């Protein structure tokens, strides 16, 4: 059922929405939003130490990543992997031109963030505030929304109105997520008109960008193109992002399809971290390494991020988590390095 255009979202918020534009001037620069430290880690097994999370974020920043999801103010009872987010964002290095976001599921999560921000004192070593952006999330499927947050889509949107308003009043950017934009693990195919209407509601609420998430990873170039074109009828494409999981190996080609249809922001996860706890078999986000490699030599520019460093980070975090590195490019680069090292050793003999 398509959500009607009702009073769910106060139209007065339009006037209060902060306007943010990307720092990249070229229309073909692709903004990579690194979601590994949040969306990736929260779906990995076990509790990840704070120092590992901090080092992951710092390494990603040093590799040129400008947009980093750094944690989530959710209850550690439900998402133990996100425990210690306050410590993480307090200890991580904050580069002056970077955006560091945290996921905020409700008013309580936002209050916890405000408590941290209120206690922050700038210093010579850390002159920048812990975060400058929050993310909120809903779904395009009521069944998924209820499984994930125990409330309907409409109720989730209503709940976020005061959250967004309060964040904007504190000069925090707000990014919106919509899960299951292609299909739902419980109810099947999603109505793209529903995705369009929800994206419009999030924009009216005050989000500067809406990330369209193929959470299950069933998307194909055809379905992604159809979905994006439908959403573009109500939301400017420059305010949309693509978020693709690689369950069926179509993550990279879906990224390319989204770019061909005008999207210029893509979510990805170093080493292919992540998954979906409500979708058996769903793998992590498309790997950052794979996206960077695929765009080399193309009309799309991601040269501000160092692919070789990202490969190193992917292997480092995978080893820390005792998991398989699912990045195809990461594995290929490592194999090339080993081959070159062996050839260099032979040449010395």
């Amino acid at each position: 059922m398509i959500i009607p255009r009702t009073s769910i979202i106060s139209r007065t918020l339009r006037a209060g929405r902060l306007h943010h534009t990307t720092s990249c001037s070229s229309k073909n620069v692709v903004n990579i939003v690194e979601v590994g430290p949040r969306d990736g880690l929260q779906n990995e097994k076990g509790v990840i130490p704070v120092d590992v999370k901090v080092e992951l974020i710092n390494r990603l920043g040093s590799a040129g990543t400008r947009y980093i999801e750094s944690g989530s103010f959710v209850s550690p009872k439900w998402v133990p992997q996100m425990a210690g987010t306050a410590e993480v964002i307090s200890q991580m290095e904050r580069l002056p031109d970077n955006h560091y976001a945290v996921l905020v599921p409700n008013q309580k999560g936002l209050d916890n963030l405000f408590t941290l921000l209120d206690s922050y004192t700038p210093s010579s070593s850390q002159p920048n505030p812990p975060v400058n952006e929050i993310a909120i999330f809903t779904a395009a499927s009521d069944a998924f929304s209820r499984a994930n947050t125990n409330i309907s889509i409409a109720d989730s949107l209503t709940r976020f109105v005061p959250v967004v308003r309060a964040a904007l009043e504190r000069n925090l950017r707000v990014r919106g997520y919509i899960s299951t934009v292609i299909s739902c693990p419980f109810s099947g195919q999603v109505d793209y008109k529903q995705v369009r209407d929800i994206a419009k509601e999030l924009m009216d609420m005050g989000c500067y960008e809406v990330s369209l998430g193929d959470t299950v990873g069933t998307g194909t170039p055809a379905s992604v193109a159809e979905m994006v074109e439908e959403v573009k009828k109500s939301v400017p494409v420059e305010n949309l992002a693509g978020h693709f999981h690689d369950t069926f190996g179509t993550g990279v080609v879906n990224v390319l399809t989204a770019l061909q249809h005008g999207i210029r922001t893509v979510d990805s996860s170093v080493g292919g971290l992540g998954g979906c706890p409500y979708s058996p078999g769903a793998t992590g986000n498309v790997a950052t390494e794979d996206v960077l490699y695929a765009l080399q030599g193309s009309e799309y520019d991601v040269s501000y991020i160092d692919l070789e460093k990202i490969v190193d980070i992917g292997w480092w975090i995978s080893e820390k988590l005792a998991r398989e590195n699912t990045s195809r490019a990461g594995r290929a680069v490592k194999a090339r390095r080993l081959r070159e090292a062996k050839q260099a050793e032979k040449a010395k003999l």
Side-chain angles (χ1 to χ4, degrees), residues 17-264:
R17 183 171 69 222
L18 298 182
H19 179 68
H20 296 277
T21 57
T22 175
S23 60
C24 304
S25 58
S26 171
K27 65 178 181 180
N28 282 333
V29 170
V30 176
N31 303 309
I32 301 295
V33 176
E34 176 56 60
V35 299
R38 197 282 300 175
D39 194 33
L41 291 185
Q42 78 170 18
N43 286 300
E44 296 294 331
K45 295 179 180 179
V47 177
I48 300 96
V50 166
D51 64 319
V52 172
K53 298 176 188 176
V54 170
E55 186 171 355
L56 174 59
I57 293 167
N58 290 348
R59 286 183 179 225
L60 289 167
S62 68
T65 306
R66 298 170 181 168
Y67 300 81
I68 304 174
E69 263 199 342
S70 304
S72 177
F73 278 94
V74 296
S75 169
K77 175 183 177 181
W78 302 113
V79 189
Q81 298 89 336
M82 288 293 100
T85 287
E87 290 81 2
V88 170
I89 63 177
S90 295
Q91 296 175 26
M92 69 187 187
E93 179 183 11
R94 279 100 72 184
L95 301 177
D97 296 325
N98 277 16
H99 290 288
Y100 298 94
V102 292
L103 192 73
V104 174
N106 48 37
Q107 185 65 49
K108 182 177 180 181
L110 186 67
D111 290 341
N112 289 337
L113 172 60
F114 283 170
T115 298
L116 177 66
L117 294 177
D118 289 340
S119 65
Y120 164 72
T121 302
S123 66
S124 58
S125 60
Q126 291 287 14
N128 303 303
V131 297
N132 49 20
E133 180 172 322
I134 69 165
I136 61 174
F137 63 94
T138 186
S141 157
D142 254 327
F144 188 88
S145 180
R146 292 181 186 281
N148 195 27
T149 61
N150 203 33
I151 58 175
S152 68
I153 298 170
D155 286 344
S156 72
L157 291 171
T158 300
R159 181 180 67 181
F160 280 126
V161 169
V163 171
V164 173
R165 181 188 295 113
L168 293 177
E169 289 174 351
R170 292 289 293 262
N171 292 322
L172 294 171
R173 302 184 351 148
V174 182
R175 191 177 197 239
Y177 280 98
I178 306 177
S179 300
T180 61
V181 298
I182 301 293
S183 67
C184 169
F186 307 109
S187 56
Q189 178 65 41
V190 166
D191 184 346
Y192 301 149
K193 292 183 176 65
Q194 170 113 321
V195 180
R196 179 198 67 200
D197 290 347
I198 296 170
K200 185 64 166 63
E201 293 286 357
L202 289 170
M203 288 298 299
D204 287 346
M205 195 183 298
C207 294
Y208 76 93
E209 184 172 82
V210 176
S211 179
L212 305 171
D214 178 18
T215 312
V216 187
T218 57
T220 62
S223 61
V224 168
E226 184 180 353
M227 182 272 297
V228 171
E229 286 302 313
E230 183 62 41
V231 177
K232 283 166 59 177
K233 293 178 181 177
S234 296
V235 178
V237 71
E238 58 267 25
N239 297 114
L240 297 175
H243 182 110
F244 304 107
H245 286 237
D246 203 30
T247 309
F248 288 89
T250 55
V252 170
V253 72
N254 288 340
V255 165
L256 293 172
T257 299
L259 295 178
Q260 290 166 359
H261 286 262
I263 283 178
R264 289 295 179 270

Side-chain angles (χ1 to χ4, degrees), residues 273-333:
L273 294 174
C276 177
Y278 302 102
S279 181
T283 58
N285 296 89
V286 63
T288 305
E289 301 94 309
D290 296 355
V291 173
L292 295 177
Y293 181 82
L295 297 183
Q296 288 187 125
S298 73
E299 62 184 295
Y300 306 111
D301 182 13
V302 288
S303 60
Y304 59 93
I305 301 179
D306 189 322
L307 172 58
E308 295 290 331
K309 288 184 178 180
I310 293 293
V311 167
D312 290 338
I313 298 168
W315 281 104
W316 170 79
I317 190 60
S318 295
E319 291 170 1
K320 285 289 185 181
L321 299 176
R323 72 184 295 277
E324 178 185 3
N325 185 335
T326 60
S327 166
R328 294 170 176 82
R331 294 198 300 267
V333 169

